[in-house]
Amino acid sequence: MTVQQHATMQTVLAYEDDPGAPLRENVPVRRPVPQLDTQPFPTAISEAAPQPDSAGPGTPAFRYWVAADALSTGCQMWGPLVPTGTQWVPSVGRVLPVHLDEGVDLNAFYDRRSLKFFHQRVEGVDVFSGGSPEIVRHELGHAVLDALRPQLWNAATHEADGLHEAFGDISALLTALQVESLRTAVLTQTQGRIEQSSRMSRLAEQLGWALDKVAPGAAEPDCLRNMSNRFFYRDPVDLPPSGPASMLTSGPHSFSRVFSGAFLKVVAGIFRQQDGQDQAALAEAGRIAGQLLVDAVVAAPVVPGYYAQVAGHMIAADQNRHSGKYGPSLRSAFTRHGILSVNAATSLTAQEIAHRGAALAEATPGGRDEDSLTPITVQGAEYGIKGPLTLFAPGESRRFGVAGSDPAGGSVRPADPEQVATSYLEDLLRRGRIEIPAEHRTDVAIVDDSPRLKTHEIARSETAGGLALVRRCFD
């Protein structure tokens, strides 16, 4: 591009990563006008597009371009990594609609029809979830993972939910790595040790600040979640369903931090293995790690102990793509967070991968929601529900005999699929996340009448032939 062409190129103002908390606000940067019709993941914002450079921070026009830039860069990042033929799930259609302000809430969600964002005024500050590139890219990550592995949508397992939330945070991270100025800033801030806490590892500083004001302890001190963490794997059936941000729970946003923390260390390890240690090498490390993750989630069986299977399949993908070059970084990251036990990580030799992983090259995205899941019927009356209830449990066959780490040594024995599914159901009830229509309730049904968003409902399912636990959205 010539100097004259650059001077006349239209640009917009946008944030590199997040608006920032009120006392640590980030400064907008100039970005090329976003292109939303990006294949294979086109998006469309429902609001009319304003003129580029039509307004600054605090205006609807500015928030539009912030979201548009986040969507554009996110789709441009994921597009080259996914298998040919990947597309949004059928209920979305060809183009994913995006609604930037659907009302008052400190939330955002993907519901298989669109992405929805909200706003709320907190201590005099108007917090718009759609005004944060990180939140937009996180929600976009849910839609991308749904396109790759729709079976996770109704899977009654904490680890599938946790992986979905981790994938969203990873989407925000990897898309941020598309911005050269942010890569340079992060390398300076961390002195090249990118596994340390930084603007890149901290997700949604502004929303985290707002949540902490409304519900103290609901977010981390300086952000919503931080990928630079030390959370160690525990079987989620043994974790409490909720708690402050400082502790690990089975809640999907909390439990996601185990995997996202390991993934940040994967990127850091791959970065250290690059020939150079500059911003271009950091971009390449993100691309490599993202490709290995995509390969893994497409191929990994949906089972109890799902995190370990995804980790094992990332190691297998590295063996297939790079002859195991990045295996040391992967094994180190996943054992440090307990996602793989030491003996599980060392069992994944080149010979074992070649023996067990012949089907990896044939794995393709898509399929029906209930593919890879095992319908399990439980007595609904035990949960305040009339009649039998179907749960879609993780029941595929493991390809690799790997598992998470037992703190006492060796591997954790994963719970059986029925225990995983019923524990998942009970946790949703405890957190008040299931909508139970009146006609399906018994006299002792556990009903949460608070305005909190319900992520699931009890509804009739053709697949189940009766009542089933079905998902409404990822929030």
Side-chain angles (χ1 to χ4, degrees):
M1 180 182 294
T2 68
V3 174
Q4 183 177 6
Q5 287 173 321
H6 183 78
T8 59
M9 182 179 67
Q10 276 193 314
T11 61
V12 299
L13 281 174
Y15 290 122
E16 292 172 315
D17 53 348
D18 188 77
L23 297 180
R24 300 186 300 276
E25 292 183 359
N26 292 324
V27 177
V29 298
R30 295 216 166 266
R31 301 281 300 155
V33 174
Q35 302 298 315
L36 296 181
D37 191 20
T38 301
Q39 300 302 321
F41 295 130
T43 60
I45 296 176
S46 59
E47 291 83 349
Q51 288 295 316
D53 274 346
S54 57
T59 65
F62 175 73
R63 289 193 294 273
Y64 177 97
W65 290 118
V66 166
D69 181 62
L71 293 165
S72 175
T73 52
C75 293
Q76 289 170 15
M77 185 275 296
W78 285 119
L81 304 183
V82 302
T84 301
T86 305
Q87 56 188 350
W88 301 126
V89 293
S91 56
V92 166
R94 191 189 74 83
V95 179
L96 176 65
V98 179
H99 307 287
L100 296 183
D101 190 6
E102 288 291 283
V104 178
D105 199 0
L106 289 175
N107 209 342
F109 63 79
Y110 164 69
D111 63 2
R112 277 199 160 175
R113 295 184 296 275
S114 63
L115 305 184
K116 291 184 171 68
F117 301 92
F118 301 83
H119 78 276
Q120 186 166 320
R121 191 169 182 81
V122 178
E123 295 196 353
V125 178
D126 290 318
V127 178
F128 287 83
S129 61
S132 166
E134 291 177 332
I135 297 174
V136 173
R137 293 161 179 165
H138 172 96
E139 297 306 324
L140 179 70
H142 283 302
V144 171
L145 181 54
D146 199 20
L148 290 169
R149 205 72 162 101
Q151 295 86 350
L152 300 180
W153 181 259
N154 276 326
T157 160
H158 299 96
E159 296 200 26
D161 278 17
L163 197 282
H164 240 285
E165 296 300 338
F167 196 94
D169 288 358
I170 290 166
S171 178
L173 170 79
L174 295 182
T175 307
L177 289 179
Q178 305 302 297
V179 182
E180 181 177 343
S181 58
L182 185 60
R183 295 197 300 269
T184 301
V186 167
L187 286 172
T188 300
Q189 181 182 4
T190 64
Q191 299 182 1
R193 299 175 181 177
I194 64 169
E195 65 270 34
Q196 295 182 351
S197 181
S198 70
R199 284 177 59 187
M200 183 179 70
S201 73
R202 293 189 295 270
L203 178 79
E205 291 93 335
Q206 187 187 70
L207 184 66
W209 167 85
L211 279 172
D212 189 63
K213 295 298 181 184
V214 173
E220 299 191 28
D222 54 358
C223 60
L224 183 62
R225 286 184 295 280
N226 197 332
M227 295 175 71
S228 179
N229 67 64
R230 297 182 178 180
F231 289 108
F232 195 85
Y233 177 83
R234 296 288 188 276
D235 190 327
V237 303
D238 297 324
L239 289 172
S242 59
S246 58
M247 68 181 288
L248 186 67
T249 75
S250 64
H253 298 96
S254 177
F255 194 67
S256 72
R257 296 176 295 177
V258 177
F259 195 94
S260 62
F263 188 87
L264 178 63
K265 291 178 177 64
V266 167
V267 175
I270 293 174
F271 170 67
R272 286 191 288 269
Q273 289 187 250
Q274 300 304 298
D275 292 335
Q277 297 290 285
D278 57 7
Q279 58 83 20
L282 181 53
E284 178 64 5
R287 186 199 66 79
I288 292 169
Q291 185 66 75
L292 298 179
L293 177 62
V294 167
D295 290 353
V297 297
V298 170
V302 185
V303 296
Y306 182 56
Y307 275 15
Q309 289 298 312
V310 175
H313 281 73
M314 285 185 68
I315 293 171
D318 170 62
Q319 183 64 43
N320 292 337
R321 286 186 177 271
H322 308 289
S323 299
K325 177 179 179 180
Y326 302 111
S329 295
L330 292 159
R331 289 179 174 86
S332 173
F334 288 125
T335 55
R336 286 178 67 183
H337 283 265
I339 292 172
L340 290 176
S341 65
V342 171
N343 58 328
T346 57
S347 73
L348 291 169
T349 63
Q351 293 77 13
E352 175 67 7
I353 291 168
H355 175 64
R356 299 284 184 181
L360 292 175
E362 301 174 3
T364 58
R368 297 175 303 162
D369 291 356
E370 288 76 26
D371 288 350
S372 309
L373 303 178
T374 301
I376 292 176
T377 301
V378 299
Q379 295 302 314
E382 295 181 10
Y383 305 98
I385 298 164
K386 294 179 179 178
L389 177 68
T390 296
L391 308 176
F392 297 105
E396 221 174 350
S397 298
R398 288 175 173 79
R399 181 170 291 119
F400 299 119
V402 295
S405 180
D406 186 329
S411 298
V412 172
R413 181 180 177 85
D416 65 74
E418 183 170 354
Q419 183 184 7
V420 168
T422 54
S423 171
Y424 179 81
L425 171 65
E426 290 198 23
D427 276 5
L428 289 174
L429 288 168
R430 291 168 180 149
R431 294 197 298 267
R433 301 292 261 171
I434 305 178
E435 181 70 35
I436 307 175
E439 63 268 26
H440 302 324
R441 303 174 190 170
T442 68
D443 293 339
V444 294
I446 300 170
V447 179
D448 185 313
D449 60 359
S450 72
R452 188 181 186 192
L453 178 71
K454 304 296 189 289
T455 58
H456 291 74
E457 65 181 332
I458 302 300
R460 296 203 174 276
S461 164
E462 291 184 7
T463 303
L467 294 182
L469 176 69
V470 296
R471 178 176 290 280
R472 285 180 165 181
C473 64
F474 277 104
D475 73 330

